[in-house]
Each structure stands twice: as structure tokens, then as C-alpha cells.
Amino acid sequence: MPRAQLTTDELEAMRRRLSAAGLEIYRAEGLEGVSFRRLAEQLSVSHTLPYRYFDNKDALLARMRVDALARFEAEVREHESRADGPMAQVHAVAEAYVAFAHHNQAEYLLIFATHQPAVEQYPEVMEARRRIFEHAVEVLQRCIDGGLLRGDARELAHALWVTLHGLMSLHAAGQLIHGKPLDELVEPLLGRLLSAYRT
């Protein structure tokens, strides 16, 4: 008897479930621990079931990255929503970036630091990353429009991202070892960066 065709909602629900289980395995065992067999064991399903939803491990990892990025974006936006005024929102976005990397180091490394296929291979990952970056551009553009900062919002977003990403990557890799912890570096670095663009 032929297998029943799954609805779009059923496909999405199982992909989400497999991705969540993959993230659990990744947090506990690292990237090398993630496999379709291990995923099936984690969920107590057939070893062949994950192949119905993902072509290969890279496709599963791409979905895990998309889901991690969605959580990242949600946390950034939630943190920003509590800030009062454009400049406070810039600081809130930066703080949320760093907080996510600090409290979710595995996900941060999965998104940005581990080996990944070319961006064009999984456009959904690129789109999820684009949404976060464009949000930073929008927040900075509000400061420029309000006369609080000058220059090009996209250029400033790149400068902000490079600065924070370098800091977060060193922290996630356990390499902030020269006397200043993460929480003592964020504001001074952000202040110096923004001061170059103040009106």
C-alpha cells in the first residue's frame, strides 16, 4: 500500500521536531554527534524516517541554523522592544547579540563559526541571517534619521557586526583570557565605535 502523502503542515511539524532534536544532540555531543541514526534514536523513530524530511546531514544542519537564527532574532527584537529611544535601542540590540552568544554558545557557533556549505546552497539560511542584519540597519537608520548618528547605516551595521562578532567568537571559543571578561568589554567597545559616527 503506498505511503500517505503528508500535508505541508505535517512536513513542517516533523522538520521542526527533527531540527529541535538535532539541536539537543548538537548541544550535548557537538557537530560530530549529529547523524540521522542518532536523531532517530533520540526520537525513538525508524532510522529511515529522517530521510523523508531531509536529503542529508547538511540539509538538516541548514534547518537547525534557520531555527537557531529565528530564536536569535526573536531575542534581539524582544530585548530592543524594552528600550526607550533610538540610541537605547542600538545598545539593546548589541546587548542582545552578546547575551545570545554568551548563553547559547553552541547555537552561536553553529550559526556563524562552524564549517558551512556555500550560502547559495541553502538560501533559507542566508535569508534568516539577512533578516537579523537588516534589522540592525533599520535600528541604526532611526538614529541617523533622528540626528543622533551620521553616515551610512549599512556601513555602520557592518562595523558593529564585525566588532561584536569578533568579541563573541573569542568568548565562545574561550579565548578572552587576557584579564577582561565579556561583560566589561561590550560597552567600551560599543561606545568607541558609535563615537566615530556621532553628530
Side-chain angles (χ1 to χ4, degrees):
M1 183 175 180
R3 180 179 288 162
Q5 190 72 23
L6 296 172
T7 68
T8 301
D9 286 347
E10 288 171 333
L11 283 167
E12 174 58 19
M14 182 53 78
R15 285 188 181 120
R16 191 181 305 117
R17 186 180 172 204
L18 290 165
S19 172
L23 281 167
E24 285 183 19
I25 295 167
Y26 168 67
R27 288 186 200 106
E29 304 173 24
L31 206 58
E32 64 281 355
V34 180
S35 69
F36 281 7
R37 178 172 291 277
R38 182 71 184 85
L39 201 59
E41 291 170 356
Q42 179 86 354
L43 294 174
S44 299
V45 298
S46 161
H47 289 168
T48 62
L49 183 136
Y51 290 95
R52 294 183 64 187
Y53 300 90
F54 296 104
D55 291 339
N56 50 43
K57 180 176 175 177
D58 277 347
L60 169 64
L61 292 175
R63 176 55 191 261
M64 288 163 55
R65 289 182 175 108
V66 167
D67 290 346
L69 279 158
R71 182 180 168 198
F72 186 14
E73 181 183 4
E75 291 189 14
V76 168
R77 289 182 179 274
E78 195 279 330
H79 199 70
E80 179 211 340
S81 71
R82 302 198 302 267
D84 184 20
M87 192 60 76
Q89 289 168 354
V90 171
H91 283 263
V93 166
E95 290 163 5
Y97 275 31
V98 173
F100 183 87
H102 180 62
H103 297 295
N104 306 279
Q105 291 185 23
E107 284 91 336
Y108 184 82
L109 291 172
L110 178 69
I111 295 168
F112 296 112
T114 54
H115 171 73
Q116 300 188 37
V119 292
E120 63 269 14
Q121 190 171 348
Y122 294 102
E124 65 272 25
V125 178
M126 186 60 188
E127 174 59 22
R129 291 180 66 160
R130 186 197 65 79
R131 282 196 306 270
I132 292 177
F133 188 83
E134 291 301 321
H135 176 248
V137 173
E138 291 167 10
V139 172
L140 290 162
Q141 188 64 55
R142 289 198 291 269
C143 287
I144 292 169
D145 293 342
L148 302 170
L149 295 174
R150 58 181 170 77
D152 179 76
R154 189 167 299 278
E155 175 190 315
L156 181 49
H158 276 92
L160 179 65
W161 174 241
V162 168
T163 300
L164 293 176
H165 180 63
L167 181 62
M168 293 184 290
S169 296
L170 286 168
H171 173 72
Q175 294 301 310
L176 284 179
I177 56 176
H178 301 293
K180 287 287 186 181
L182 182 70
D183 57 357
E184 292 181 18
L185 292 170
V186 178
E187 279 302 319
L189 285 172
L190 185 59
R192 289 189 184 92
L193 174 64
L194 294 176
S195 68
Y197 292 86
R198 288 189 185 275
T199 54

